[in-house]
Amino acid sequence: MRTERLTPTLVRVVLGGPGLDGFRSADGTDAYVNVAIPPAGAPYGAVFDPRALREAGLPREQLPARRRYTVRSWDADARELAIDFVVHGDAGVAGPWAASAEPGDVLVFEGPASGYRPDPAAAWHLMLGDESALPAVAASLEALPTDATAVVRLVCDGPEHEVPLSAPAGTDLVWLHRTHDDERDAALLLEATRALEWPDGTVHAFVHGEAEEIRAVRRHLLLDRGLERSEMSCSPYWRRTMTDEAWRSVKRDFVAAMDAEVA
Ligand SMILES: Cc1cc2nc3c(=O)[nH]c(=O)nc-3n(C[C@H](O)[C@H](O)[C@H](O)COP(=O)(O)OP(=O)(O)OC[C@H]3O[C@@H](n4cnc5c(N)ncnc54)[C@H](O)[C@@H]3O)c2cc1C
C-alpha cells in the first residue's frame, strides 16, 4: 500500500489488499511471518505458494529467499499489516526489497507465529535489543498496562535512528548509540545490562537481536542476575557477517552451544 522511512535505516512497509483476507493475528506481541522474496527472473509469477515451490524441485537459485519479520501492527478493520525492515546498506535481500518497495508490489509470506507476550504476573519487564527487535519491543510496550514498569535498552546508530515509542509512564528507556568501533558496539547491550539497577520483584525479559550480543546478555542474565529460563524470551535474530541462509545453517548448533554454556 505504501512505505514510510521511519529513520535513515528503518523502512515501514504497509501491506494491504484482499490477499490479507485470511490473515489472523498471533497471540504474542512478537508475532512474525516468513516472507519469501523471489530472485530476479524467477520463472513464476509475483503471487505463488512458497510450499508448492519448495516441493516442485526447482533449482535452489530460483527459489525465493526466506526471511523472518515481525508484524509491527495489524489493523483488522483497515486490513493493513505493517512490517518495519532494517535497511543495512545494499547488503541482503529483504532490506533492499523494502528500500525499493512501491505501492502495488507483492510480498508473499507465511504465518504468523509468535512466542512472547509480556507476562501480566511479572513485577517488571526488561526489553533488550537492536533495530531488528524494535518492532516487537514497540508492540510489547504498547500492550503493557499503563501502570507497568518496563526497563528498555535499544541499540541504534545515533539520535536520528531513535523512534518515538508509546510506553507506560514508568518506562526507563535508553537508546544506546553505536560508535562504529565494532568491538565496542558489540558490547553496548551487555554493558548497559550490567549497569542496570535491578527493580524489585519478578522480571519477564525479552532479549532479541544480533546473535553474539544476545548470547552474552543471556549468559549475564542467567548466571549473574539469576534469571530462570522461563523468565525470558531470548533468541538471536541475525548474525553479524552472515546472510540469513548462512546463519540458518549454523543456528541450531549456535543455540545448542548457547544453551549448554549455562546448563
Ligand atoms: C523472529 C524474527 C523476527 C525478526 N523481525 C525483524 C524485523 O521486524 N525487522 C528487521 O529488520 N529484522 C527482523 N529480523 C531479522 C531479519 O530476519 C534479519 O536481519 C535478516 O538477515 C535480514 O535479511 P536481509 O536479506 O536484509 O539480509 P541478509 O541477506 O540476511 O544479510 C546480508 C548482510 O547483512 C547483515 N545484516 C542482516 N541483518 C542486519 C541488521 N539488522 N543490521 C545490520 N546488518 C544486518 C548480515 O550479517 C549480512 O552480512 C527478525 C528475525 C527473526 C528470527
Side-chain angles (χ1 to χ4, degrees):
M1 305 300 286
R2 61 187 177 277
T3 63
E4 188 187 343
R5 266 276 161 184
L6 301 179
T7 73
T9 54
L10 203 57
V11 172
R12 172 161 300 164
V13 176
V14 179
L15 308 172
L20 284 172
D21 275 348
F23 186 80
R24 298 284 174 272
S25 61
D27 286 343
T29 52
D30 68 339
Y32 56 86
V33 293
N34 293 311
V35 308
I37 301 177
Y44 43 89
V47 180
F48 53 85
D49 176 349
R51 202 175 318 160
L53 280 186
R54 285 196 292 273
E55 286 161 8
L58 287 175
R60 181 183 277 242
E61 63 277 10
Q62 290 182 0
L63 288 173
R66 285 189 289 141
R67 297 288 185 268
R68 213 159 251 192
Y69 279 87
T70 304
V71 175
R72 172 63 187 85
S73 63
W74 163 239
D75 180 339
D77 294 334
R79 200 174 59 186
E80 287 191 348
L81 187 157
I83 298 179
D84 293 349
F85 290 80
V86 179
V87 179
H88 38 94
D90 296 332
V93 178
W97 178 86
S100 64
E102 289 180 353
D105 285 355
V106 173
L107 182 65
V108 170
F109 69 82
E110 296 168 283
S114 72
Y116 163 84
R117 170 172 283 280
D119 179 356
W124 64 284
H125 301 272
L126 178 64
M127 301 182 194
L128 306 169
D130 62 13
E131 300 91 336
S132 68
L134 179 55
V137 168
S140 302
L141 287 171
E142 284 167 7
L144 286 175
T146 49
D147 61 350
T149 302
V151 176
V152 184
R153 296 292 179 270
L154 288 165
V155 182
C156 72
D157 280 340
E160 72 280 22
H161 293 261
E162 298 176 9
V163 294
L165 295 174
S166 167
T171 300
D172 164 12
L173 163 67
V174 177
W175 294 90
L176 310 166
H177 298 155
R178 294 190 187 92
T179 59
H180 303 294
D181 167 339
D182 286 351
E183 217 167 295
R184 249 178 97 187
D185 291 346
L188 278 175
L189 203 56
L190 176 62
E191 277 169 18
T193 312
R194 276 206 178 115
L196 285 180
E197 283 200 30
W198 219 240
D200 290 335
T202 53
V203 59
H204 191 202
F206 181 81
V207 186
H208 294 251
E210 198 283 326
E212 295 291 357
E213 295 176 32
I214 295 313
R215 181 175 186 162
V217 171
R218 179 179 184 273
R219 192 187 307 130
H220 168 67
L221 293 177
L222 289 170
L223 294 182
D224 306 330
R225 299 285 193 169
L227 261 72
E228 301 289 338
R229 283 159 202 244
S230 58
E231 291 174 315
M232 67 167 96
S233 162
C234 184
S235 97
Y237 273 179
W238 65 281
R239 179 108 177 249
R240 204 171 268 113
T241 73
M242 287 190 185
T243 64
D244 205 49
E245 284 77 14
W247 171 224
R248 290 200 306 265
S249 72
V250 297
K251 190 171 177 179
R252 189 184 294 252
D253 290 345
F254 182 95
V255 170
M258 188 168 95
D259 261 346
E261 71 190 358
V262 283

